[in-house]
Amino acid sequence: MKRPIGVTLISYFYLFGAVVLILTAIFFDADPHTIGIAERFGLPHAPERLVRVLVAFLSLVLVYGYIRLTIWGYWFMIAYSVSFGCISALLISTSSPQPFLGNMIFSLVILMYTLYVRNSFLQSFKQGR
């Protein structure tokens, strides 16, 4: 089964994001007045560096399953997009709604595309990949 181009692009985007998160967790000390990754995931009191590393490793696992068209990668992406989209939708009412609105729209687009190409994941599962 040939991998859809959108799955490849989404996977590379998440891979790039994971690398950036790891690098910024090591080399960047976030300004306390900015909106960090922890707050974007609805955890404003969690340590920013720890959340960055955890999200990065979670993204790496997600990318591995998604780019290989595994059924668990499909469901992982669905769960990740729904949860991150819902958290962002709930946080839109905060003082700075712009990043949360963008995150919600991005999650919705990823969710819709993943559902659109679900047959690629199912055919890959039937072939035993």
Side-chain angles (χ1 to χ4, degrees), residues 21 25 30 35-39 43 46-53:
L21 282 175
I35 298 172
I37 296 298
E39 189 173 345
L43 304 168
E48 181 67 24
R49 287 187 174 177
L50 177 63
V51 173
R52 284 177 188 259
V53 170

Side-chain angles (χ1 to χ4, degrees), residues 98-119:
Q98 187 278 329
F100 303 118
L101 181 62
N103 290 340
M104 184 189 72
I105 291 170
F106 182 74
S107 293
L108 186 61
V109 168
I110 299 298
L111 179 64
M112 289 186 324
Y113 181 78
T114 300
L115 291 172
Y116 177 73
V117 296
R118 72 183 169 276
N119 288 333

Side-chain angles (χ1 to χ4, degrees), residues 70-118:
T70 63
I71 197 73
W72 64 265
Y74 170 79
W75 286 111
F76 197 3
M77 182 61 82
I78 296 289
Y80 183 87
S81 295
V82 167
S83 61
F84 191 52
C86 287
I87 291 169
S88 296
L90 291 172
L91 293 174
I92 284 177
S93 64
T94 63
S95 61
S96 180
Q98 187 278 329
F100 303 118
L101 181 62
N103 290 340
M104 184 189 72
I105 291 170
F106 182 74
S107 293
L108 186 61
V109 168
I110 299 298
L111 179 64
M112 289 186 324
Y113 181 78
T114 300
L115 291 172
Y116 177 73
V117 296
R118 72 183 169 276

